[in-house]
Every structure is written in C-alpha cells, then in structure tokens.
Amino acid sequence: MTKQIYMDYCATTPCDPRVVEKMLPYFTTFFGNPASSDHAYGWTAKDAVEAAREEVSRLINAKNHAITFTSGATEAINLGIKGVMEASAKKGKHIITNKAEHKAVLDTCAYLEGKGYEVTYLDVDEHGNISLDALENAVRKDTVMMAVQYANNETGVIHPVAAIGTIARRHDVYFLCDATQAAGKLPIDVTADNIDLLAMSGHKMYGPKGVGVLYVNSQPKVNLSVQQHGGNHERGRRSGTLNVPAIVGIGKAAAICQQEMQAEALRLAALRDRLESSLTTAIAGTKVNGKQAVRLAQVSNLLFPGINGEQLLLSVSTRLALSRGSACSSAQRIPSHVLMAMGATGDAAHDAIRFSLGRFTTEAEVDEAVNILVDAVLTL
Ligand code: PLP
C-alpha cells in the first residue's frame, strides 16, 4: 500500500506507539489469565487489568467498579440496552432514542421492537440537534431508557449531555450515552452529567481494536440482565476470559488522552478550520453539514455541489483515505441515515464526504489534501 494521507480517524485510529509498547509484554512475559487466582501469572495480569480499569474510570469520572470491559462499543451498547430493558420489564418496554444514532443503537432498538418493545425515534433538526422539549415530552410512564449519543460519528455534532441527564433523572429514566466518538476527545463526567450507562471503544482513541467499555452506574443502581453467560467475569456482567493486552492498551490510551486532550482539541480545531475554509473558498457552494451546531474539533462533513461522492473518493483513493459517512454505511453503499435525518435528500446524503483528523495529522497534510481534492473536484 502506498502512503496515503489518513483522514478517517472516526472510522478507526492508529494505535499510539506508547500504547503498543505498554501492551507488548502482556502477550508474552505477562500472559497470565487474570482469573487464575492461585499463582503470580494470574495476579500480575489481574493487577494490570485493575490498573487499566482505574485509568479508564478516571477519564470519565466513574468509580472503578462501574467499568465493565467488553469487545468494543457495539457489544457495550447491546449489553447496555438489552440488559437494562430486560431487567426493567416490570416498569415498562419503552425506549427513547433519535434518528441519527449509530447503527449499534438503532439496530439494537429495532431488534427489541421485534420482541414487543416500543421505541420513539426523535427527529434531529437540519443542524443535527435533538429538541430537549421533544425528548422530555416523549417520556411516558413506561419509559425505561433514553439513548442519546455524546457526539455523532458522521458530523461530529455534540449533544447537550448534561441537560439530557437532568431530564432523565427528573423522570427516573435511565440515560445511556454512546460516547464512542467523544471519549478521549472531550472531558466526560458521568457523575456530574447523570449518565447511567456509557459506551466507549479502544480503537477510536488510539488504543487497540477488540476492546471497549460499558460504564454502569451504581448510584442509582442500574439493574442489568446479563447477555453473555459463563465464568462470571467482570462481576458477572460479562463472562469470558479478559483480553488483557487490549485492556492494558485501552487503559494507557485513556491515560494519554486525559493528559493531552485539551491541547489536542485546540490543535485539531485549528487544522479542521483550515481545511474547511480552504475547501469552501476554493470550491464554490461547498456545504459544511452541522456547521451551526457544537461539533467535535476533528470532524468535518462536506458536500461538494454536483459532485458524486463515490467517484470523488475513488479518484483520490491512492492518495487520500476519506469516507462517506460511517464505515458501516459506506460498506453498504447506502445514503447516510444521519444526513437524511438532518433533512438531506438522497443524493446529498449519498455524496457528502467525512474528513476526520487526528493525533498524527499535520498542517502539511491538510494543505496537501486540500490541493488533491480541489484538483479532483475541478476534474470531475
Ligand atoms: N458508536 C459510534 C458512535 C461509533 O462511531 C462506532 C464505530 O464506528 C460504534 C458505536 C461501534 O464501535 P465498535 O467498533 O467499538 O464496536
């Protein structure tokens, strides 16, 4: 593969070399099973897992025991939604979410609908925002959970999580927040913001793939019906031998993010603004989706007028790694459900391009990417 400029950090991030270095001994020297309580191999592995749990909990201001390690955010979301809904069947079968959530939430809700649960899908406006009034008005006696993501994976639009948490608490409804794109990028405080369940993923924050976290509140206590049975790992919430190297990796990734988040966000916002202003100046009529909303610093979702997104990406694909919408929907070649929820027509929802920058993006790369894109758009 020839070297490309990578601008698809929302799909996945490279593992930070500091993370890899920390993980490596846990494949070989310290290979023990943390559940082996009779010897030092097990104790060493357990200590490493607990140190990682501490690092992750610090990132979101949670108690250590509230952290459950999973295989990724998708599993965390499935466990959070199905687990809570099953355990709360006596209270009701109603969930509130919105039309611009990630498929991990939407498909889990759709699955539950097939099992007799009811889901209210709130609209988002043309900027990608939900209405807090609509959210509150949607609460019913039998509502168990509201699931609203922290930040959108296609547009970077950030939701008012603290206000959502307040509404959830006022109505005694659980708040599940998919923070996969926000964790490590924004300061998250599950305690102050009344978040009851929160999902995150290692590979979106410069950690490894195949590891994620479900935070589960204990005050008030969230009852969770277990989805994976076995050896009673993770306080019985998620059985299966722990992926120690990956857990060590997500712990280190969390610690680095916590330390560097503020400076990184400022640097990335400047690069993102440079990219947007260069492209909107050079290509008349370029639309920035979600521009009026509060957005993540590193994401820009652009629509170039009259340009077929798929053709554009193909024409730059040897030099630029970009995507149309999320990795899931670009694989399926379908228009973005997020942009359609924001009112885009089929074509506009199909042709928009997501630029997502990250820790290793440089100013020179941004300038080169702009040149490549402007040439490609003019040619097309
Ligand atoms: N939620 C959001 C907002 C995402 O962007 C993603 C990944 O693209 C996921 C959930 C799923 O994460 P994972 O790959 O860890 O299963």
Side-chain angles (χ1 to χ4, degrees):
M1 192 173 89
T2 53
K3 177 123 176 60
Q4 298 176 325
I5 297 175
Y6 186 76
M7 290 193 171
D8 202 11
Y9 279 81
C10 278
T12 194
T13 57
C15 231
D16 190 299
R18 293 168 289 180
V19 170
V20 177
E21 190 188 335
K22 182 95 189 262
M23 289 170 65
L24 282 176
Y26 292 92
F27 289 101
T28 50
T29 317
F30 308 128
F31 60 85
N33 185 335
S36 299
S37 55
D38 295 324
H39 51 70
Y41 288 94
W43 304 332
T44 306
K46 186 165 194 298
D47 286 350
V49 167
E50 294 316 314
R53 205 184 300 280
E54 168 77 31
E55 286 167 316
V56 168
S57 63
R58 235 183 278 135
L59 183 70
I60 59 172
N61 192 29
K63 301 240 166 52
N64 292 14
H65 63 75
I67 301 296
T68 297
F69 289 113
T70 65
S71 64
T74 301
E75 187 194 334
I77 290 164
N78 271 265
L79 173 58
I81 297 180
K82 293 177 194 162
V84 164
M85 295 312 292
E86 281 178 20
S88 304
K90 266 198 193 138
K91 180 183 177 194
K93 291 191 155 194
H94 181 229
I95 309 171
I96 304 168
T97 186
N98 73 86
K99 293 177 181 168
E101 287 290 310
H102 189 271
K103 290 287 182 188
V105 169
L106 294 177
D107 287 359
T108 305
C109 287
Y111 164 83
L112 287 175
E113 280 180 298
K115 301 267 172 204
Y117 291 79
E118 281 185 73
V119 183
T120 299
Y121 297 92
L122 298 174
D123 289 323
V124 295
D125 65 16
E126 79 248 53
H127 312 298
N129 294 315
I130 60 164
S131 151
L132 291 175
D133 286 340
L135 176 70
E136 187 146 25
N137 289 336
V139 177
R140 316 187 315 207
K141 249 191 156 148
D142 61 341
T143 306
V144 171
M145 167 184 287
M146 41 185 74
V148 182
Q149 62 190 184
Y150 212 114
N152 187 269
N153 48 299
E154 295 192 27
T155 58
V157 169
I158 298 170
H159 291 292
V161 166
I164 296 166
T166 303
I167 295 172
R169 197 58 86 242
R170 185 154 59 230
H171 294 279
D172 201 15
V173 166
Y174 292 127
F175 175 22
L176 178 142
C177 185
D178 171 8
T180 308
Q181 294 293 345
K185 322 277 168 49
L186 297 172
I188 294 179
D189 189 331
V190 288
T191 309
D193 291 347
N194 293 310
I195 297 172
D196 296 306
L197 299 120
L198 179 131
M200 50 195 269
S201 180
H203 75 104
K204 309 284 189 183
M205 45 187 266
Y206 309 95
K209 295 172 182 59
V211 65
V213 163
L214 178 66
Y215 156 79
V216 184
N217 198 2
S218 55
Q219 278 178 325
K221 186 169 171 11
V222 177
N223 290 318
L224 202 63
S225 164
V226 174
Q227 302 296 308
Q228 190 162 301
H229 303 89
N232 219 31
H233 304 80
E234 294 296 87
R235 297 170 168 260
R237 287 199 194 115
R238 195 266 188 186
S239 287
T241 299
L242 294 179
N243 182 352
V244 179
I247 289 170
V248 167
I250 195 174
K252 179 68 179 173
I256 295 172
C257 284
Q258 187 160 25
Q259 212 166 34
E260 301 181 357
M261 179 186 308
Q262 221 175 353
E264 196 159 287
L266 285 174
R267 192 184 78 84
L268 289 174
L271 288 182
R272 192 267 318 266
D273 291 349
R274 185 181 181 94
L275 177 88
E276 281 184 0
S277 72
S278 304
L279 286 173
T280 47
T281 307
I283 305 164
T286 298
K287 181 178 180 211
V288 182
N289 288 312
K291 188 171 174 56
Q292 306 299 323
V294 184
R295 284 182 297 158
L296 289 173
Q298 68 273 22
V299 186
S300 185
N301 190 300
L302 300 180
L303 180 67
F304 302 110
I307 297 292
N308 179 301
E310 211 167 328
Q311 274 179 16
L312 178 60
L313 288 193
L314 201 63
S315 72
V316 299
S317 63
T318 54
R319 288 175 294 166
L320 287 183
L322 300 168
S323 69
R324 289 183 313 108
S326 74
C328 325
S329 50
S330 63
Q332 289 170 25
R333 303 275 170 234
I334 50 172
S336 152
H337 71 278
V338 173
L339 297 178
M340 289 186 55
M342 290 165 68
T345 62
D347 277 352
H350 207 274
D351 291 334
I353 310 286
R354 179 183 67 186
F355 297 74
S356 47
L357 315 182
R359 187 170 289 167
F360 306 105
T361 308
T362 63
E363 194 174 283
E365 283 184 331
V366 168
D367 292 345
E368 198 182 332
V370 168
N371 289 336
I372 294 169
L373 262 147
V374 171
D375 278 355
V377 168
L378 295 181
T379 309
L380 285 174

